[in-house]
Amino acid sequence: MRFLFRRIAFYAVTAWAAITMNFLIPRLMPGSPENTVLSRFQGQVSQEQIDAVKAQLGVSDAGILSQYGTYWKDLLSGDLGLSVSYFPGEVSEVIGQGVWWTVVLIGVATAISFVLGTLLGVLAAWKRGSRLDALLPLTTFLSAVPYFWIALVALSVFGVELGLFPLTGGYRPELEVGWSGEFISSALSHSVLPALTIIVSSIAGWLLGMRNMMLTTISEDYVLVAEAKGLRTRRVMLGYAARNALLPNISGFAMSLGFIVSGSIVTETVFSYPGIGFLLYNAVLNNDYPLMQGIFLIITLMVLFANFVVDLCYVVLDPRIRQEA
């Protein structure tokens, strides 16, 4: 329990520091959100209009400590302010509309690539010298290929030349978002190419990492003793070798899960997919500081939460940590 208490205290301090930096950075950047909103209006803008927009956006001329206190008060109540690029929409609503698209697409694709890559890495290491070794040059090549290039090739081949899948968007624009069969079918067809791009470009890293760790673990004494006892090959491979070799991959997977909320910005931008990554791209283009601030906050908290889940997994998988705890 001491181990978990130490980790909880560490993540609490880290979360406070991240939230504080999230408060300070937008206020240190050049420009202001009210000027971005007012630039859309033609003609001269009165001081009353400027003050009204500043009040709506939550821009204050108070001292930095007073603003910091107000920021924490609004944050604890779930108020992330108003979005500039989607004005007068609230940041929480804008993020809520995009987060599920990203979680479903990036989350499922990342989980599939992790499982496939890890299993192939286990088999490639256990059966080294077999035909599975032929995957290594291909996976090494794919891991070196730029992410956006795979997306553009997939669009060109399967979208333009063959016409098998839609080119952009998350669903047909004439459809209403809901649980109708037509909408679900359209959403699935729009997600195939982005998902395949993520799987193809990321599976190589999981495979190579797991194979290298398995090769190290296989030579350990406890694996040799398990084989000498005459245990079944599957039990030795999965229960002894793979279980211990899996720990570094779990850390990488947790980091990937944390960054799911930010989305794969490149993929969502190339395919114009309506996720958090595409929202962040538009927020940067439009100097939408409140929206960027909200997205960065969610990314930070999700990364910390994912790492905490990894610590829990380590307690379950590694008996040495349980003894320490």
Side-chain angles (χ1 to χ4, degrees), residues 210-221:
M210 190 63 186
R211 180 182 182 274
N212 293 336
M213 286 302 303
M214 276 288 293
L215 290 176
T216 302
T217 306
I218 288 173
S219 61
E220 295 290 340
D221 293 339

Side-chain angles (χ1 to χ4, degrees), residues 282-304:
N282 286 333
V284 172
L285 289 182
N286 293 284
N287 294 325
D288 192 344
Y289 298 146
L291 183 55
M292 284 189 283
Q293 193 173 21
I295 293 176
F296 290 150
L297 176 63
I298 291 179
I299 294 172
T300 302
L301 296 180
M302 283 300 298
V303 170
L304 293 177

